[in-house]
Amino acid sequence: MKKLQETTRKLIQSEKLASLGMLSAGVAHEINNPLNFIQGGLQLLEQGLEDEKELKFEATPCLNVMKEGLRRASIIVKSLNHFSRDTETMNESCDLHQILNNSLVMLQPKLKYKGEVKKLFTSEKLVISGNEGKLHQAFLNIISNAEQAIQKDGLITISTIKKKKRIYVEIADNGIGITKENLKKISDPFFTTKPVGKGTGLGLSITYKIIEEHKGIIKVSSKPGKGSKFVISFSEK
């Protein structure tokens, strides 16, 4: 049992590293954009310096541009830090809205070329007890699958609601959908419909395991050509 648990842990970590590798190029580009904000602001300040004490123009707009660049870069780095955490504790306070937003930040480089993401979040704060890093991995996997399913001008809708002490997260897309036959297999380890080299078939299998560890339930419905819908529910903390 110990060997099985250790093997499972390594599989989860290797899939997380594979996801980070897949996202790294896009995330690097996204970080580069706010850094360009900062660089541009600095160049303006340098050009405006007459001497060490006086500027030829108002410096506030330049400083605001640099602050915005730092803010954007900070959001991206924080999102990556949450995702890459490797702890086994299951008693962290996990803000589901924050986790969903962090996942969208990491996938933004891919999503912005594929279509629209619509967020229909309840105004209530949704917090469950669990492992923040693992939940980031689970939701990133589901949203990533939705991104891969949609075509140009696609739509991903993420809704959250609380009913009778249960929290519901619904992630729906209008993508290519899943056949009835494959729908039964999506939680099986190593099952994938992607070409060789494009996927390990571990993403959704690990996602199911993570949600199960958090005493959650996943329900999936899909029709080929009509899209898919994942509904994940948890007990309120």
Side-chain angles (χ1 to χ4, degrees):
M1 283 300 294
K2 284 183 179 179
K3 284 183 180 179
L4 183 60
Q5 288 173 349
E6 179 62 17
T7 301
T8 302
R9 190 191 70 80
K10 286 180 179 178
L11 279 173
I12 291 173
Q13 188 63 13
S14 67
E15 181 67 13
K16 185 185 288 187
L17 291 172
S19 297
L20 278 173
M22 177 188 70
L23 294 168
S24 60
V27 169
H29 177 73
E30 289 299 297
I31 290 176
N32 195 50
N33 285 336
L35 291 179
N36 285 336
F37 272 62
I38 299 165
Q39 186 178 30
L42 283 170
Q43 286 174 346
L44 283 171
L45 286 173
E46 286 173 350
Q47 290 168 12
L49 279 172
E50 200 169 66
D51 55 41
E52 292 184 0
K53 297 179 182 178
E54 190 177 350
L55 280 172
K56 292 179 181 177
F57 60 87
E58 173 60 43
T60 302
C62 295
L63 294 172
N64 287 340
V65 165
M66 292 162 70
K67 286 177 183 176
E68 176 61 15
L70 285 169
R71 186 189 70 81
R72 292 188 186 186
S74 176
I75 288 171
I76 295 166
V77 171
K78 281 180 181 176
S79 298
L80 280 170
N81 283 340
H82 283 295
F83 175 71
S84 59
R85 290 178 64 187
D86 185 23
T87 64
E88 293 302 314
T89 181
M90 290 295 291
N91 59 1
E92 297 172 327
S93 290
C94 304
D95 185 328
L96 293 182
H97 285 158
Q98 184 184 60
I99 289 169
L100 290 165
N101 282 325
N102 287 341
S103 299
L104 289 171
V105 166
M106 287 186 282
L107 287 169
Q108 180 59 21
K110 292 175 175 289
L111 288 167
K112 66 183 178 183
Y113 296 114
K114 299 289 286 288
E116 179 189 357
V117 176
K118 187 181 289 185
K119 294 192 294 184
L120 303 174
F121 289 0
T122 177
S123 58
E124 297 179 83
K125 194 167 185 177
L126 302 183
V127 179
I128 66 169
S129 185
N131 183 290
E132 201 176 61
K134 288 182 177 180
L135 284 173
H136 272 84
Q137 186 174 2
F139 282 111
L140 188 88
N141 283 341
I142 295 172
I143 300 171
S144 179
N145 272 277
E147 176 272 318
Q148 291 167 27
I150 62 174
Q151 309 299 315
K152 189 178 179 181
D153 301 322
L155 175 66
I156 297 172
T157 305
I158 304 176
S159 311
T160 63
I161 196 168
K162 184 161 66 174
K163 291 180 184 176
K164 297 178 180 178
K165 294 189 177 181
R166 282 197 75 78
I167 291 169
Y168 295 85
V169 178
E170 180 183 295
I171 301 169
D173 67 72
N174 64 349
I176 58 175
I178 307 167
T179 65
K180 190 175 181 180
E181 181 185 351
N182 286 340
L183 198 58
K184 299 173 183 177
K185 304 175 186 176
I186 60 172
S187 64
D188 294 350
F190 304 108
F191 173 76
T192 181
T193 58
K194 297 172 188 173
V196 174
K198 294 293 183 180
T200 61
L202 284 170
L204 285 179
S205 172
I206 287 172
T207 296
Y208 270 77
K209 177 174 174 53
I210 290 170
I211 299 302
E212 187 180 88
E213 285 178 343
H214 288 80
K215 297 180 173 56
I217 300 167
I218 299 184
K219 292 183 178 179
V220 188
S221 57
S222 184
K223 288 183 179 179
K226 299 289 186 180
S228 304
K229 180 166 70 176
F230 283 72
V231 179
I232 306 98
S233 65
F234 304 94
S235 293
E236 186 182 2
K237 183 179 177 183

